[in-house]
Amino acid sequence: MDGERRQNATTVEHRVKTETTMLDLSLVSALYHTAREITHKTPQIGGTLAGNCTTVHFGMLDTARQIFGAPVQLSIGSITLDGTTYYDFTEEELLSWRSGHTRPRYGLHAWLSLPHLGNEVIDLTLAATLNHAKPGWVPAAITFITARIATRLNLEYHARLVGDGVLEELNLVRGRQA
């Protein structure tokens, strides 16, 4: 009887931990709508989320930290969608960017990660970017992507660099003003 009670207590504890550490989609939605509103009012980046992953996610770091009240990290890497990898970059490209060589467009992708939730993904731009490239690629009802949504889309994220300073390290943005 005690073994059964301990088993039930462990199961309940695991279920409670899982439920309390799940990503609150209403908070992600609030973050998405904030990013979309700011982006639409910023003609310098084209007024769209599509194709602006580094700018949007870097710009939303502090807001995301306030909304979630927890650590949020900027992640840089590639994605795999239906078995095809996109935004992959080589070590040579990485070295080139670090040494200051610039390009009009960079073959990489950026998103936000929440380490306290097992590096949960919050991607505010990829749905718009994919639908810009190929309309209907992502269902219209999907405006942002989380790990659960990524699984439904057969989408995987592959982080190569993580942290506040990765864009500065790659010479993709100047340092933030204090």
Side-chain angles (χ1 to χ4, degrees):
M1 187 71 160
D2 282 338
E4 185 178 320
R5 196 173 297 136
R6 272 194 302 267
Q7 177 67 27
N8 288 341
T10 302
T11 301
V12 169
E13 180 182 334
H14 174 72
R15 188 172 56 242
V16 169
K17 273 187 180 176
T18 302
E19 288 172 1
T20 59
T21 58
M22 288 183 62
L23 185 61
D24 184 337
L25 294 182
S26 67
L27 297 178
V28 180
S29 182
L31 183 66
Y32 167 80
H33 288 289
T34 301
R36 188 181 72 180
E37 183 178 328
I38 291 169
T39 303
H40 286 291
K41 293 178 180 178
T42 311
Q44 296 87 339
I45 61 170
T48 181
L49 293 169
N52 287 306
C53 63
T54 55
T55 303
V56 169
H57 291 106
F58 182 73
M60 295 305 294
L61 265 173
D62 291 335
T63 303
R65 289 174 179 145
Q66 290 172 356
I67 286 174
F68 292 102
V72 177
Q73 298 176 318
L74 181 66
S75 296
I76 303 292
S78 62
I79 62 160
T80 301
L81 179 60
D82 291 329
T84 302
T85 300
Y86 299 91
Y87 310 114
D88 200 15
F89 49 92
T90 66
E91 285 301 314
E92 292 78 25
E93 288 174 303
L94 208 54
L95 291 172
S96 173
W97 300 336
R98 284 179 172 144
S99 68
H101 295 276
T102 60
R103 300 170 52 176
R105 301 292 291 170
Y106 291 82
L108 55 79
H109 187 58
W111 62 92
L112 300 176
S113 299
L114 284 80
H116 71 288
L117 295 179
N119 286 320
E120 170 70 68
V121 169
I122 298 176
D123 194 329
L124 305 171
T125 63
L126 188 62
T129 300
L130 292 175
N131 280 332
H132 179 77
K134 184 179 176 185
W137 206 346
V138 175
I142 296 176
T143 55
F144 56 82
I145 298 174
T146 63
R148 178 177 275 167
I149 294 168
T151 300
R152 288 194 343 237
L153 295 174
N154 197 23
L155 170 65
E156 297 174 14
Y157 285 82
H158 311 284
R160 299 248 327 253
L161 303 167
V162 177
D164 288 13
V166 296
L167 295 180
E168 294 162 357
E169 176 187 334
L170 299 177
N171 292 300
L172 300 179
V173 70
R174 292 183 298 162
R176 291 199 242 189
Q177 301 299 314

